[in-house]
Amino acid sequence: MKQLKISRPVMERLPVYLHYLKSLPEKPEYISSTVISRALRLGEVQVRKDLGIVSGAGKPKIGYGTLDLIHSLEEFLGYNSTLHAVIVGAGKLGMALYDYEGFREYGVNIMAAFDADPAKFGVTSTGRKILPMDTLAEFCRENHIEIGIITVPDNHAQEVCDRMVDAGIPAIWNFAMHQPHAPAHVRVQNENLASSLALLCGSLRQQLE
Amino acid sequence: MKQLKISRPVMERLPVYLHYLKSLPEKPEYISSTVISRALRLGEVQVRKDLGIVSGAGKPKIGYGTLDLIHSLEEFLGYNSTLHAVIVGAGKLGMALYDYEGFREYGVNIMAAFDADPAKFGVTSTGRKILPMDTLAEFCRENHIEIGIITVPDNHAQEVCDRMVDAGIPAIWNFAMHQPHAPAHVRVQNENLASSLALLCGSLRQQLE
């Protein structure tokens, strides 16, 4: 597998290239690393290195075939093969993620949300299913769920994580501030908004002092 | 300023230590880096280094005064001095962030949301203000807004960023996939959910193959 050696910053930039290329209103036949690097304000050497991993080198003085490059990026990122996800916690953040159409473009299909509150069970106006927590394990096994998204309050994150692990989910995307523990074979990615804010505010407060 | 030399991973971990300490139901008088590192599954040397930046070394064989350490972390992260923020884009994600009580704990007070759609203007059931885009600049200047949070669709992110810059906002937290450009004196932090997904799914797809 090529991906094994890809660093985190590179993996984070690949969707940005893809998004840029797909958002070009008129796609040129070829596009150069110079054009891409200027548009995204990235170093040209970096762009060339990143894209080289995915698609090989561009043609000298011409660049990359635009459609080929889009295809290579999608292939590399696995957007052509769908992963199945569930959300646990049908609060505002959970439902915002559930309604976000963009995830399909990234090859992730959110199949249902789960909640402990019976008042929330049912189908929303946008056609999203909210199911009782009791049915999580069965649903995950029947639908081969690969990603569990945690959007419950902090104090429930560990319990929800445990239930996802028991249901056989191999990857967890956690939006709670509490970072849950999972066995080594389960990958947990924490999306910690407080940490992001600390980064942004830290440098801002320096500036303001 | 101490913070100038703090690396990004350290700044990201500091709120995690703080959250852990504050969430302890019974706070011990002292807490050791061993206990903290086990609870958070971090290396002990790393924990000691991180906390050393904020509060100096703990006492040998005893550790850090728990309340002192909480206070030092809050002070260092600036949670005791409030920053003022606005959200532009009163869709689901915008409102989920607006309603998130946790931000106050991190020293950020979201004062209002703005939207271009008149149907959204007014005060929500949770007491949140949604104001017309036209009034953004005036509101930001009058209320000394320091952080602008972008939660509009991708194709409006640059325009919103430009208007925030014009309104004198020095720091922007962008949740749109499109990474907007801003002048060098404005700090932009991109919260790119697609990049996070790429990280999580990349390693998952490797595992599944």
Side-chain angles (χ1 to χ4, degrees), chain A residues 1 3-4 12 19 39 77-78 81 92 99 154 177 181 187 189 191 195-196 198 203 205-206 209, chain B residues 1 3-4 11-12 19 39 77-78 81 92 99 106 154 181 187 189 191 195-196 198 203 205-206 209:
Chain A
M1 278 295 303
Q3 272 148 300
L4 281 169
E12 286 180 333
H19 178 74
L77 288 164
S81 68
K92 286 209 177 86
D99 274 334
D154 289 346
M177 175 81 196
H181 302 146
R187 167 148 178 111
Q189 181 159 314
E191 203 66 33
S195 292
S196 292
S203 61
R205 286 189 166 101
Q206 278 170 39
E209 263 170 32
Chain B
M1 278 294 307
Q3 273 148 297
L4 282 171
M11 271 309 271
E12 286 181 332
H19 179 76
L77 289 164
S81 68
K92 286 212 176 85
D99 274 333
Y106 312 139
D154 288 347
H181 302 147
R187 168 151 176 110
Q189 182 161 311
E191 203 66 33
S195 293
S196 292
S203 61
R205 286 189 165 102
Q206 278 169 39
E209 266 169 27

Side-chain angles (χ1 to χ4, degrees), chain B residues 84-88 110 112 114 136 139-140 145 147-149 164 169:
Chain B
H84 301 98
V86 293
I87 288 175
V88 174
I110 301 176
F114 292 82
L136 178 71
F139 185 93
C140 290
I145 297 300
I147 299 175
I149 303 173
M164 287 178 169
I169 294 180

Side-chain angles (χ1 to χ4, degrees), chain A residues 22 74 78-84 97-112 127-128, chain B residues 197 205:
Chain A
K22 286 176 91 172
E74 285 181 335
Y79 289 177
N80 302 322
S81 68
T82 302
L83 293 172
H84 301 98
L97 293 174
Y98 199 171
D99 274 334
Y100 182 50
E101 294 291 344
F103 288 141
R104 255 176 208 275
E105 192 188 320
Y106 313 138
V108 173
N109 182 10
I110 301 177
M111 310 266 301
R128 313 303 192 192
Chain B
L197 257 186
R205 286 189 165 102

Side-chain angles (χ1 to χ4, degrees), chain B residues 29-65:
Chain B
E29 194 176 346
Y30 290 94
I31 191 160
S32 69
S33 49
T34 318
V35 169
I36 297 174
S37 64
R38 278 191 198 144
L40 299 174
R41 312 247 167 137
L42 294 167
E44 201 179 328
V45 174
Q46 187 177 66
V47 171
R48 223 178 292 134
K49 267 195 195 167
D50 289 350
L51 297 180
I53 295 167
V54 175
S55 79
K59 290 186 191 168
K61 294 192 184 171
I62 295 178
Y64 308 86

Side-chain angles (χ1 to χ4, degrees), chain A residues 158-202:
Chain A
Q158 184 61 56
E159 184 200 332
V160 167
C161 176
D162 293 344
R163 293 182 70 165
M164 286 178 169
V165 171
D166 287 345
I169 294 180
I172 290 171
W173 198 16
N174 171 48
F175 283 80
M177 175 81 196
H178 175 81
Q179 305 192 355
H181 302 146
H185 68 276
V186 175
R187 167 148 178 111
V188 178
Q189 181 159 314
N190 294 295
E191 203 66 33
N192 194 329
L193 296 181
S195 292
S196 292
L197 257 187
L199 274 185
L200 183 67
C201 297

